[in-house]
Amino acid sequence: SSSTPSYPQQNQVKATDKGTIKVGFYTDPSTPNTTDQTKISISFLNKDSGITQQHIDYKIFIKKGSDQVFGIAKTHTAEGTVIVPFQFTDSGTYQVTVEVDGILFQPIPPETATFTVDVSTSSVPEFQLAATLILIAGIVAAVLVPYRTKLR
């Protein structure tokens, strides 16, 4: 069964360089940052039908410039979709390369699809969390201060 994510964030679909299969790519959050862990979602799609292709052998590399910052050795997905948690430590532009090495248990010459990810330094939710904590502290103080005054 294929499940479609409800958040098509930074959603990109590209054919591999030799065109045998398509690779879907998105990140959560949609704008990755150095504060929060990013979930990189990759799906392998039949080039003709667009339906999720099961049983893929693949590798993943993340580079910043010429430096590889992360890599997954050849592995297998039975479902045809994979989520890779990754913590970006520096802001900037990264390249995520997905290499396909096999389809339906048949090895193929390596084919790649590369996606660009722009990483920012911080996230907006941090502000929301701080504002929420300040609001809660204010409410607690407003409730407790009059109560403590009555006790004296």
Side-chain angles (χ1 to χ4, degrees), residues 52-121:
T52 301
Q53 177 65 60
Q54 296 180 331
H55 296 294
I56 299 291
D57 296 325
Y58 68 95
K59 298 176 187 171
I60 297 172
F61 309 99
I62 301 176
K63 288 184 172 185
K64 184 175 184 195
S66 60
D67 298 329
Q68 182 173 318
V69 296
F70 181 76
I72 294 178
K74 186 160 98 173
T75 190
H76 180 87
T77 173
E79 296 84 20
T81 59
V82 62
I83 295 175
V84 179
F86 185 71
Q87 180 69 53
F88 291 98
T89 54
D90 297 311
S91 61
T93 301
Y94 291 78
Q95 305 296 320
V96 179
T97 300
V98 180
E99 178 181 297
V100 179
D101 298 301
I103 301 173
L104 293 171
F105 308 106
Q106 298 299 313
I108 64 169
E111 299 189 17
T112 60
T114 300
F115 302 89
T116 299
V117 178
D118 291 315
V119 176
S120 64
T121 50

